Each structure stands twice: as C-alpha cells, then as structure tokens.
Amino acid sequence: MTQVYTVQIHNRQKATHHVIQVPDDRYVLHSAESQGVELPFACRNGACTTCAVRVLSGKIDQPEAMGLSPKLRDAGYALLCVSYACSDLAVETQDEDEVYELQFGRHFGKGKVRQGLPLDEE
Ligand code: FES
C-alpha cells in the first residue's frame, strides 16, 4: 500500500519554503513539480547533482543516485530527481555546485591526471 509522507523543502536560493505530500513510490522532485513547486534540476537522471539537497531530517532512499558518492550520501546529501521518501522529510537546497565541488573540485589541479606518454618512450 502506498504511504504518503510530508516533505518540507527550503529553497535557499529563492528563500522559499514548501510543504508537499510525497507518495513513497514517486520521486520527490516529480511530486514537487506536480504540486507546483519549482526546484533546480537538469538531467533528471541521478547524474548531474543539480538537484542535490541536504537532508536535515528523515530518511531517503536513492538507489539510482549514481552521481553521488557513498561518502556524500552518508554525509546527508540526496538527489531529489531519483529520491524516494521513506519517512517525513526536511531538506534544503545545496549551495550552487556544492556537491559537485565536494566530489570533484578538490581533485582538479593536483596533478593526478596523467598526460599520455610520448609514443617512443619505453
Ligand atoms: S537533476 Fe541531475 S542529478 Fe538530479
């Protein structure tokens, strides 16, 4: 049987606060949109992290959130486009590119990417 949860969403960029009802078999982002709440998104596919939020309270299931490392999931981030509510929730939008920076930002400029070796080098 479908369970319906109450999800509070604080959109920090727009300084808006929303309360929506989310069935446990629907993605949170989709439910928000169908209730007239506009939130950031791009791929809708769990890959780009544009829709990432900080989970302030409650439990979320996001088995398809391939764009989010297990470390960041454990740290309380979620991708709303592929997230199911497992309880009542309170979430807030991330800073712009916050999750992307946490995952990838630090690796740039550290010289970890190897350039291809010249072909004649043995
Ligand atoms: S919109 Fe791209 S990960 Fe959710």
Side-chain angles (χ1 to χ4, degrees):
M1 208 174 72
T2 305
Q3 189 79 33
V4 179
Y5 296 111
T6 299
V7 179
Q8 299 183 48
I9 302 171
H10 178 200
N11 186 332
R12 294 168 59 246
Q13 284 69 35
K14 293 193 170 172
T16 53
H17 199 95
H18 309 277
V19 181
I20 59 170
Q21 301 300 313
V22 180
D24 63 4
D25 59 354
R26 282 288 179 119
Y27 293 135
V28 177
L29 181 70
H30 186 269
S31 296
E33 288 171 331
S34 65
Q35 288 167 65
V37 176
E38 282 183 30
L39 294 170
F41 72 89
C43 72
R44 292 180 175 279
N45 207 8
C48 74
T49 74
T50 304
C51 66
V53 292
R54 304 175 190 147
V55 181
L56 304 177
S57 68
K59 205 168 167 307
I60 255 178
D61 188 26
Q62 46 179 341
E64 298 133 87
M66 57 208 168
L68 203 56
S69 68
K71 204 171 153 193
L72 286 179
R73 290 185 203 197
D74 291 348
Y77 290 96
L79 302 179
L80 285 192
C81 70
V82 290
S83 282
Y84 300 104
C86 302
S87 71
D88 289 345
L89 295 171
V91 303
E92 65 179 12
T93 53
Q94 64 171 342
D95 290 334
E96 195 185 350
D97 292 338
E98 177 179 342
V99 165
Y100 184 87
E101 291 287 331
L102 284 170
Q103 289 201 119
F104 306 115
R106 292 187 201 145
H107 297 297
F108 292 147
K110 275 197 176 171
K112 281 197 172 176
V113 179
R114 285 185 64 182
Q115 302 296 322
L117 291 172
L119 287 175
D120 57 358
E121 192 165 309
E122 290 283 306

